[in-house]
Amino acid sequence: MDRRLRPVVGAVAFSGVFITGVLTAGNASAAERAAAPVGDTAPNPAVAPVRSLLGVVLTTGKQVATEEHSHGPRCDSSQFRGSDNNYPGLSVSALYDKVFRSGTAMPYLSSRVPQSLATWSDWDGNGHDMLLLGEYRNHEDAYLVGIDPDNHDVLGTVRVASSHLGGMAFLGQWLFTGDNPWPHPGSPTVTPYRISSLRAAMREAINGGAKPYLKADGPRQDVHATDFMTAVGDSMYTGNHGNPDHGTMYRYRLTDSGRLKPVAGPWAVPPRAQGMVATGDKFIFSSDNGTGRGWLTVVDRDAPARPVSCVWLPSMPEDIVNYHGRLVMAFESGAAQYAHIHPHNPITHLHNASLDSLMDLTDPATVADDPTLGGLLRSTSAMTHLHARLHDVNHLLNKLNSKG
């Protein structure tokens, strides 16, 4: 490691200053992503590698206050980093590394940015399922990418009208895709596509190798939020990013005419939410924090603003889905559009985890009773936050030294 960088690392360790990539909103353009972190001046090239590898996050006062109510793992210094992560950059958490693995390589990262994910059950009418990945590029056609969830093959790509595709979900006979146009995020809309039309276009893409264009089936509809969209039974939950405060979430039902009608909400949800999965009694949210670590928050469905537990995530997580008990997550940090802001973890693949294994790790009783999990969490009463920071810095130095 360059001797000039050691004082910088030491200063971070002993001052307790947390470096951040907190930005003004999550679903944003490249210009927004490039905004300077809070309190930063012009970036110092000599410090950038340390900032990128250290991966520590400034959490807002409201997030810290909220996490005090957690009774499972917290996204703070009590959660150890791992040493055998299989993704770029410093390990975000030994808990995360234990259950998540890389899956399908996300295509088109040189020109487009991954955003939304949706599970398309029986997409071809022959019992086969598909993951649909939404990717955007400003002022150009957006892509709906079909992925085989079992063998991880990219099957085909359908083009749709220019849209951010922050969220999307299947409901009834429709695929609804969301748009929250930057820099005017106060005007979110959804666009409806008939599933039968999408099926025909996807078959054409798979059989012919081209990227057919799919027209919308009706005008865009105004909704409250589209940063994430999740279908649960006959309802759709939609929510916004909420930076820097808590986001808000709404529930919609589908009318006979194919329009979304609000029926409940708003509810406060964790800040900076980009994706949501519902289980029988829990909501699971993925949240980003600029170029630094994101977090996965588990909440009770009857109290979605109060975390039950939290696990650190790699940089810039986007949407998440539950595919037959497997949690699948997309990231935008590996897109070429954001390479110049040096995300701590440039993720180029979908990440997968067993939903049951993840929920076990967020259960404090399971973590405490399982000897194989020893060392994944610190006892904050036995180790001060200063010692925790020293641990992270030593971990960083070992990583740097191992690279020669």
Side-chain angles (χ1 to χ4, degrees):
M1 178 181 179
D2 192 323
R3 293 178 181 272
R4 294 173 297 175
L5 298 183
R6 291 184 181 271
V8 177
V9 175
V12 172
F14 288 100
S15 68
V17 174
F18 287 81
I19 302 170
T20 185
V22 173
L23 308 176
T24 56
N27 288 342
S29 65
E32 181 212 7
R33 285 287 186 193
V38 175
D40 274 10
T41 57
N44 183 340
V47 177
V50 174
R51 175 182 294 147
S52 179
L53 282 170
L54 194 55
V56 291
V57 177
L58 173 67
T59 50
T60 66
K62 291 192 176 183
Q63 182 194 345
V64 172
T66 299
E67 289 185 352
E68 290 176 354
H69 299 287
S70 299
H71 59 70
R74 301 184 188 182
C75 287
D76 59 18
S77 60
S78 65
Q79 203 170 137
F80 270 106
R81 295 183 188 272
S83 58
D84 59 349
N85 53 297
N86 62 348
Y87 50 86
L90 193 65
S91 165
V92 295
S93 165
L95 288 175
Y96 183 86
D97 298 347
K98 182 176 178 65
V99 295
F100 277 89
R101 292 293 180 268
S102 292
T104 307
M106 293 177 286
Y108 310 119
L109 295 185
S110 62
S111 61
R112 279 167 174 77
V113 181
Q115 289 289 296
S116 50
L117 270 175
T119 300
W120 189 0
S121 300
D122 191 22
W123 81 268
D124 59 355
N126 295 316
H128 298 108
D129 300 330
M130 177 181 287
L131 293 179
L132 203 63
L133 173 65
E135 298 187 319
Y136 83 96
R137 180 170 181 168
N138 290 331
H139 313 300
E140 294 189 16
D141 291 344
Y143 285 179
L144 302 178
V145 183
I147 295 172
D148 187 312
D150 297 314
N151 63 24
H152 306 299
D153 289 340
V154 174
L155 301 175
T157 301
V158 173
R159 294 179 294 117
V160 294
S162 178
S163 175
H164 190 76
L165 296 185
M168 64 181 176
F170 290 94
L171 189 63
Q173 298 303 310
W174 306 87
L175 170 71
F176 290 94
T177 66
D179 193 24
N180 204 5
W182 190 259
H184 304 292
S187 55
T189 61
V190 294
T191 302
Y193 298 91
R194 286 193 181 275
I195 294 177
S196 56
S197 301
L198 175 60
R199 179 180 294 113
M202 186 59 71
R203 281 177 173 158
E204 181 182 347
I206 294 172
N207 295 332
K211 300 181 183 68
Y213 183 84
L214 177 64
K215 292 183 179 180
D217 286 292
R220 292 186 176 187
Q221 304 173 23
D222 292 331
V223 293
H224 288 102
T226 61
D227 289 338
F228 62 86
M229 299 166 59
T230 303
V232 181
D234 60 356
S235 297
M236 183 187 296
Y237 290 86
T238 75
N240 63 22
H241 190 256
N243 178 47
D245 302 319
H246 286 295
T248 52
M249 182 170 70
Y250 304 80
R251 184 164 67 90
Y252 288 81
R253 288 277 179 83
L254 189 63
T255 68
D256 292 339
S257 61
R259 297 189 66 85
L260 294 177
K261 176 183 178 181
V263 294
W267 300 279
V269 297
R272 303 186 68 94
Q274 300 279 28
M276 188 272 278
V277 159
T279 69
D281 61 346
K282 297 287 191 294
F283 288 132
I284 305 171
F285 294 93
S286 57
S287 297
D288 83 325
N289 197 36
T291 59
R293 285 186 289 189
W295 59 89
L296 191 76
T297 308
V298 180
V299 305
D300 289 324
R301 287 181 65 157
D302 58 357
R306 187 175 67 248
V308 171
S309 52
C310 184
V311 176
W312 287 116
L313 299 178
S315 303
M316 300 165 70
E318 285 294 328
D319 209 356
I320 52 176
V321 296
N322 177 12
Y323 174 69
H324 296 313
R326 190 169 86 229
L327 196 69
V328 185
M329 185 181 310
F331 297 82
E332 63 180 0
S333 55
Q337 179 170 321
Y338 298 135
H340 69 287
I341 58 173
H342 306 293
H344 299 162
N345 307 106
I347 306 299
T348 58
H349 291 63
L350 298 178
H351 280 197
N352 303 266
S354 161
L355 184 57
D356 287 343
S357 297
L358 175 67
M359 297 306 289
D360 284 346
L361 288 185
T362 61
D363 182 340
T366 301
V367 173
D369 294 340
D370 188 342
T372 66
L373 301 181
L376 299 185
L377 293 176
R378 300 181 175 96
S379 170
T380 52
S381 60
M383 176 179 279
T384 66
H385 288 286
L386 173 61
H387 290 157
R389 285 194 293 273
L390 283 171
H391 172 277
D392 285 342
V393 170
N394 286 332
H395 188 80
L396 167 64
L397 293 174
N398 289 335
K399 278 274 189 178
L400 292 175
N401 289 332
S402 69
K403 294 179 182 296

